[in-house]
Amino acid sequence: MPTPAAPTRFPRLAVALAALGTALALTAAGCAGTDAPTGPAAGRSAPAFPDRVEPIAAAAQPALPVTVASADGTQVTVTSADRVIPLTGGLNEIVQTLGLGPRVVARDITATFEQAAALPVVTRGHEVSAESVLSLRPTLVLAETTTGPAEAVRQIRDAGVPVLVVAPAKTLEDVPQRIGAVAAALGVEEAGAQLNRRTAERIAAARAGVPGGAAKKPRVAFLYLRGTASVYLLGGSDSGAGSLLEAAGAVDTGKESGLGKDFTPITSEALAAAAPDAILVMSKGLASVGGVDGLVKIPGVAQTPAGLDRRVVTVDDGVLLNYGPRTDQVLASLVAQLHGKGA
């Protein structure tokens, strides 16, 4: 298991874990992977999708140079997109989907989808290695506000490499801005607009599967689990899952219960107050506690309606909170698991 750190593909979780303490952050973010979903709601199989991205039809040609605003308050001038290194899996996914995959020369450990899997890794665990990045002679590095350590990012920038910092997305409404920021830095704004149109259409199609009428909305608790590290967290209002659950026609119980933090340690009292009808977990996290059998042994889980019914919804770790070109697949999976036949 790689040694994890805060800058994971789940930036909201990284911030929350940092708030809980550095030691917790180092153990909790590990084991991110791309396992097939397990333990579906009501015993049904979660809709699976291939671990690959779908580039837009035409390969875009960057129109450079451009100067763009970075989320860290700097202005970044990009003169070449020939050798791009995205430092998170979500950013790598966007670049690849924009049709610029051949220009990506490295990846971080979280970019495990098919098109990126064979690229050299420039992180140790989840921490960026400035030496590894610079050895590949990048013309543009893409990072997020949670990418670290800060010294490594600064060393890359001090070497004269343009580093664009992109704000992490927290809701569906953030998706177009995130795609647009990457496309602008690469000099492919029209490709970005095309990808945003496609993404919006697919998200709308996924949302159309939510039952209408006066049907009772399922109450869903988002749990972050790493059994090997004894990390059991309950998602709050800023976990990143709320927007997805609401779009899928569900109630985010952490948000409704007034949990203001991103994540907070699970307690029997908090679960009792949440009273979820279903529990959302990442597939790797569920596996880390021994599947549904292990999940219901966590104090308080078995006493919830979800625990009593063994109703568990799973989505692959690699895409759940990315908020990017594959978010429609995540949303469609949630809709199917929460509202499908036998739900």
Side-chain angles (χ1 to χ4, degrees):
M1 180 191 311
T3 301
T8 69
R9 71 180 72 190
F10 312 121
R12 291 152 299 285
L13 179 58
V15 172
L17 293 177
L20 289 174
T22 302
L24 179 59
L26 292 174
T27 56
C31 302
T34 53
D35 300 61
T38 58
R44 293 174 289 106
S45 294
F49 40 86
D51 194 16
R52 58 177 289 110
V53 300
E54 181 188 349
I56 56 178
Q61 293 300 317
L64 299 171
V66 296
T67 298
V68 291
S70 181
D72 60 355
T74 64
Q75 294 290 312
V76 177
T77 297
V78 182
T79 60
S80 171
D82 290 343
R83 301 180 63 82
V84 181
I85 298 182
L87 292 179
T88 70
L91 292 175
N92 202 320
E93 180 178 322
I94 293 173
V95 178
Q96 300 268 359
T97 311
L98 285 168
L100 300 180
R103 298 169 182 264
V104 178
V105 297
R107 67 181 177 94
D108 80 307
I109 198 170
T110 68
T112 55
F113 55 88
E114 182 178 314
Q115 291 95 328
L119 292 170
V121 176
V122 291
T123 51
R124 299 187 182 97
H126 291 290
E127 292 197 343
V128 176
S129 167
E131 294 79 7
S132 297
V133 170
L134 293 173
S135 71
L136 292 168
R137 299 174 289 107
T139 59
L140 174 63
V141 168
L142 299 172
E144 294 192 12
T145 52
T146 52
T147 301
E151 294 78 8
V153 176
R154 186 161 49 246
Q155 184 178 344
I156 295 168
R157 186 171 272 163
D158 288 346
V161 178
V163 177
L164 178 75
V165 178
V166 180
K170 296 184 179 182
T171 69
L172 288 171
E173 287 69 31
D174 294 330
V175 172
Q177 286 81 9
R178 184 171 168 85
I179 291 174
V182 174
L186 293 168
V188 291
E189 290 190 270
E190 178 51 41
Q194 180 183 343
L195 178 56
N196 268 329
R197 287 192 294 271
R198 188 185 80 177
T199 302
E201 290 169 359
R202 292 181 175 183
I203 289 175
R207 298 182 79 155
V210 177
K216 178 180 178 292
K217 293 183 177 181
R219 298 171 53 79
V220 183
F222 174 37
L223 305 187
Y224 180 82
L225 310 173
R226 284 297 179 259
T228 53
S230 297
V231 174
Y232 311 104
L233 303 177
L234 173 61
S237 60
D238 201 29
S239 72
S243 180
L244 290 167
L245 290 172
E246 290 167 2
V251 175
D252 178 1
T253 62
K255 179 178 179 180
E256 186 193 59
S257 298
L259 295 178
K261 296 181 179 179
D262 295 7
F263 292 86
T264 188
I266 292 173
T267 65
S268 297
E269 293 77 13
L271 286 174
D277 301 311
I279 290 173
L280 169 63
V281 293
M282 298 177 191
S283 55
K284 192 100 176 172
L286 184 61
S288 77
V289 298
V292 177
D293 289 341
L295 174 62
V296 296
K297 293 178 182 177
I298 296 173
V301 172
Q303 287 70 48
T304 65
L308 290 170
D309 293 338
R310 297 171 65 87
R311 193 173 184 203
V312 181
V313 175
T314 60
V315 176
D316 179 76
D317 301 49
V319 294
L320 176 58
L321 299 180
N322 267 2
Y323 283 109
R326 292 193 289 173
T327 293
D328 66 287
Q329 296 174 354
V330 174
L331 186 54
S333 177
L334 290 175
V335 171
Q337 292 183 75
L338 290 169
H339 305 288
K341 185 178 180 181

